[in-house]
Amino acid sequence: MVLVLKPDHDPKQLENLTAWLKSLGLDTHLSVGRYQTILGLVGDTSLVDIDMIKNMDIVETATRISEPYKNANRKFHPDDTIVEVAGNKIGGGHFQIIAGPCSVESEEQICTIAEQVKAAGATLLRGGAFKPRTSPYSFQGLREEGLRLLLKAKERTGLPIVTEIMEASHIPLFKDVDILQVGARNMQNFELLKELGTIDKPILLKRGLANTLQELLMSAEYIMAGGNEKVILCERGIRTFETATRNTLDLGSIPVLHEMTHLPVIVDPSHSTGFSRLVPPMSMAAAAAGADGLIIEVHNDPKHALCDGAQSLTPEQFAEVSSNVQKILPIVGKTM
Ligand code: PEP
Ligand code: MN
């Protein structure tokens, strides 16, 4: 962190400031120029409240030169992290397609879709059991029964399963789940993130509706700081002034995240667009932009889906997307 001090500062104020920084474990380096005095902070500044410094009389500006996320930072871990899930690798040139319904509705539904998406190239099965719904009157998911049915579909097809966890006390229920998803609405549920940092399972962390990429990485940092380094990030669209799509898919986040972090980045073209007709082009675009995978909603009867039917592909539509995306992968140096 670099501070520019006000030209007319009182040396006593500078003495107090350096003493306070020392008490935080930081050394300082003072550079006095003709017009400006600059104080460089040396040491771990991640615990320093930059606003506290900006608020001081003596300080003109304060700028962070290192990011507050260490574990997720590409700077300290230049190689891509590869997250392995039941033999499927994500990241570092490995691409996976996760597909399945928004919600698990019945044994027949989840098992049929699982078989169809597997035949079409999906390598992992998604399906919500605990659903975060905007309205308390909407279908809330089959909960424990939903998890049981997902495990049946896993047994039937061999596909590893991805499903959302909303509450830390539910962790034991998820013991046979392969990837635990933290949904957009819980991206900053810090108590949940801390608990997920203590378990040995991959976490799919979705970007919040109104969160910056730095905030997404700070949430990943919560999980990693607890010792769980298996974090997969997911761009799922953000809320902007645009109303033509459900959310605005921020495709630029893919190359930017790849610069900022070594963690794999996948894209959800379903929640980000809200309409099934927009899912094929955005899936292709995400693959072309360097995503490490896709998570796509697929339903065998979208018109009667209990949740998110409008954005769900039929298994036939999914098969076409999957095949087209796989044609792009060699161009961007990825394999499935
Ligand atoms: C989901 O994947 O089912 C979901 C609810 O996604 P998001 O958290 O991105 O809205
Ligand atoms: Mn959904």
Side-chain angles (χ1 to χ4, degrees), residues 126-296:
R126 65 150 287 147
F130 291 89
K131 293 302 302 174
R133 304 303 303 276
T134 301
S135 165
Y137 310 117
S138 301
F139 175 58
Q140 302 289 307
L142 296 180
R143 302 172 67 87
E144 286 96 326
E145 173 66 359
L147 293 178
R148 198 182 64 76
L149 299 180
L150 271 172
L151 291 170
K152 278 226 150 155
K154 173 181 172 177
E155 205 178 295
R156 187 91 72 90
T157 58
L159 289 178
I161 54 176
V162 182
T163 192
E164 178 161 355
I165 182 158
M166 296 202 290
E167 157 71 48
S169 67
H170 290 170
I171 290 175
L173 296 175
F174 284 67
K175 70 176 189 331
D176 297 318
V177 170
D178 299 279
I179 302 184
L180 275 58
Q181 173 176 321
V182 175
R185 290 154 192 83
N186 272 312
M187 188 203 91
Q188 288 189 316
N189 181 341
F190 302 119
E191 291 301 319
L192 175 63
L193 300 177
K194 278 190 238 173
E195 286 299 323
L196 295 175
T198 66
I199 64 171
D200 183 25
K201 275 194 188 287
I203 309 296
L204 176 62
L205 178 64
K206 297 187 103 177
R207 179 180 183 181
L209 275 70
N211 288 110
T212 64
L213 298 181
Q214 173 152 320
E215 285 163 347
L216 173 62
L217 292 181
M218 291 308 289
S219 291
E221 196 71 16
Y222 262 94
I223 301 168
M224 299 175 87
N228 184 357
E229 310 230 302
K230 296 177 197 158
V231 180
I232 302 158
L233 304 171
C234 180
E235 165 59 46
R236 49 78 71 210
I238 47 175
R239 185 163 285 180
T240 67
F241 51 82
E242 184 53 72
T243 55
T245 48
R246 182 176 180 182
N247 291 286
T248 297
L249 177 53
D250 179 11
L251 281 178
S253 71
I254 305 164
V256 174
L257 281 169
H258 279 146
E259 285 170 9
M260 296 167 87
T261 180
H262 50 89
L263 297 172
V265 181
I266 72 164
V267 168
D268 176 342
S270 309
H271 292 91
S272 53
T273 61
F275 296 103
S276 62
R277 68 179 193 283
L278 303 178
V279 172
M282 291 300 101
S283 301
M284 306 279 277
D292 300 298
L294 291 166
I295 179 164
I296 300 179

Side-chain angles (χ1 to χ4, degrees), residues 102-103 126 131 246 271 297 307-308 311:
C102 178
S103 309
R126 65 150 287 147
K131 293 302 302 174
R246 182 176 180 182
H271 292 91
E297 286 189 344
C307 184
D308 287 349
Q311 66 193 32

Side-chain angles (χ1 to χ4, degrees), residues 64-81:
R64 260 192 204 285
I65 51 169
S66 59
E67 301 79 12
Y69 47 94
K70 290 270 179 293
N71 290 287
N73 200 328
R74 169 82 76 184
K75 233 181 241 167
F76 307 112
H77 189 303
D79 296 335
D80 289 341
T81 282

